[in-house]
């Protein structure tokens, strides 16, 4: 798209898991993204000294004690090419979305978001829009309470999804404005019982779309300014 079309920036939206206990299913949030490489090691391996975080799976054994075969994973920096400097990479830990677009989106906080899937299935509280929290993205569907807690405690991320960081890094590398809008559909393993992805996925997607539409309505004002 960025090669073939004359665009100003990318409005990326979708659904995500919730890793923050202060957020709720159905909420929509706009964020900066955690982008990096996880090195999965064998049980006797050691985390690289360049890694900025590590997770030792035996610390989450149930019952406690003993070793397991999952070993360790360590997180290292990702790289991307800076705009205007082809093939020049620099390390990045947080991929920040466009501040001026976040400012525009902050004016949408009073938006009316859906609370009910249908007449018989509703959330206990009214969903809200939250702007400028941290999110994370990787090719992992997170439905594990221990890993969810690890991500929040270590990186303070409030959402988990599988696509956003790729879109944001592509936008930044090519010098385009970018914003991420994600509706929260579950609590990423923090629930008791069945994951709510099938029940509240459509509601989360609709709420994200509602925010996108309102943001686009404000978009011409931002361009003119």
């Amino acid at each position: 798209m960025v090669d073939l079309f004359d665009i100003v920036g990318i409005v990326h939206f979708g659904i995500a898991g919730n890793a923050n206990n202060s957020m709720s299913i159905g909420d929509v949030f706009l964020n900066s993204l955690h982008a990096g490489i996880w090195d999965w090691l064998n049980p006797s391996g050691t985390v690289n000294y360049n890694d900025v975080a590590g997770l030792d799976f035996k610390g989450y054994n149930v019952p406690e004690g003993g070793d397991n075969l999952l070993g360790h994973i360590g997180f290292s920096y990702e790289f991307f090419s800076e705009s205007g400097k082809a093939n020049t990479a620099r390390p990045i830990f947080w991929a920040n979305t466009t501040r001026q677009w976040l400012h525009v989106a902050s004016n949408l906080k009073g938006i009316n978001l859906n609370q009910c899937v249908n007449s018989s299935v509703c959330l206990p509280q009214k969903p809200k829009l939250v702007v400028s929290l941290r999110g994370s993205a990787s090719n992992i569907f997170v439905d594990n309470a221990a890993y969810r807690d690890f991500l929040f405690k270590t990186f303070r991320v409030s959402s988990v999804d599988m696509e956003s960081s790729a879109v944001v890094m592509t936008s930044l590398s090519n010098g385009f404005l970018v914003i991420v809008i994600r509706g929260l559909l579950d609590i990423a393993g923090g629930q008791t019982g069945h994951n709510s992805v099938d029940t509240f996925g459509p509601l989360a997607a609709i709420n994200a779309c509602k925010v996108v539409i309102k943001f686009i309505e404000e978009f011409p004002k931002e361009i003119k300014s």
Side-chain angles (χ1 to χ4, degrees), residues 21-210:
N21 288 333
S22 68
M23 304 279 286
S24 302
I25 294 172
D27 289 352
V28 177
F29 93 122
L30 298 89
N31 56 357
S32 62
L33 285 155
H34 171 250
I37 301 172
W38 288 97
D39 299 317
W40 202 308
L41 308 173
N42 64 45
S44 61
T46 57
V47 174
N48 189 292
Y49 73 94
N50 288 323
D51 289 353
V52 295
L55 174 59
D56 190 345
F57 287 103
K58 68 181 179 183
Y60 297 97
N61 280 5
V62 179
E64 294 183 0
D67 294 324
N68 60 48
L69 299 179
L70 292 176
H72 322 270
I73 56 175
F75 180 89
S76 60
Y77 289 106
E78 183 65 281
F79 293 86
F80 78 105
S81 297
E82 294 183 89
S83 176
K85 297 180 181 179
N87 300 316
T88 301
R90 69 177 177 89
I92 181 172
F93 189 68
W94 293 106
N96 293 315
T97 50
T98 303
R99 183 179 297 275
Q100 64 197 93
W101 279 10
L102 287 173
H103 178 72
V104 173
S106 66
N107 297 324
L108 309 178
K109 285 186 177 180
I111 187 172
N112 182 32
L113 299 176
N114 291 8
Q115 186 173 353
C116 297
V117 177
N118 51 47
S119 59
S120 60
V121 179
C122 292
L123 294 166
Q125 68 287 315
K126 188 72 173 175
K128 61 186 179 297
L129 173 66
V130 180
V131 178
S132 199
L133 293 177
R134 293 174 177 175
S136 66
S138 68
N139 60 342
I140 301 172
F141 178 82
V142 178
D143 190 21
N144 181 277
Y147 188 50
R148 173 187 189 264
D149 291 344
F150 167 79
L151 288 174
F152 180 75
K153 291 176 181 177
T154 305
F155 300 109
R156 289 304 196 195
V157 296
S158 294
S159 73
V160 289
D161 71 71
M162 301 173 69
E163 306 88 16
S164 296
S165 62
V167 176
V168 171
M169 291 187 68
T170 299
S171 301
L172 295 178
S173 296
N174 289 280
F176 290 100
L177 307 179
V178 63
I179 195 167
V180 174
I181 300 173
R182 288 274 171 169
L184 302 180
L185 80 168
D186 65 8
I187 51 177
Q191 74 283 342
T192 57
H194 184 68
N195 191 294
S196 62
V197 58
D198 294 330
T199 303
F200 293 110
L203 182 145
I206 289 171
N207 281 347
C209 287
K210 292 182 75 169

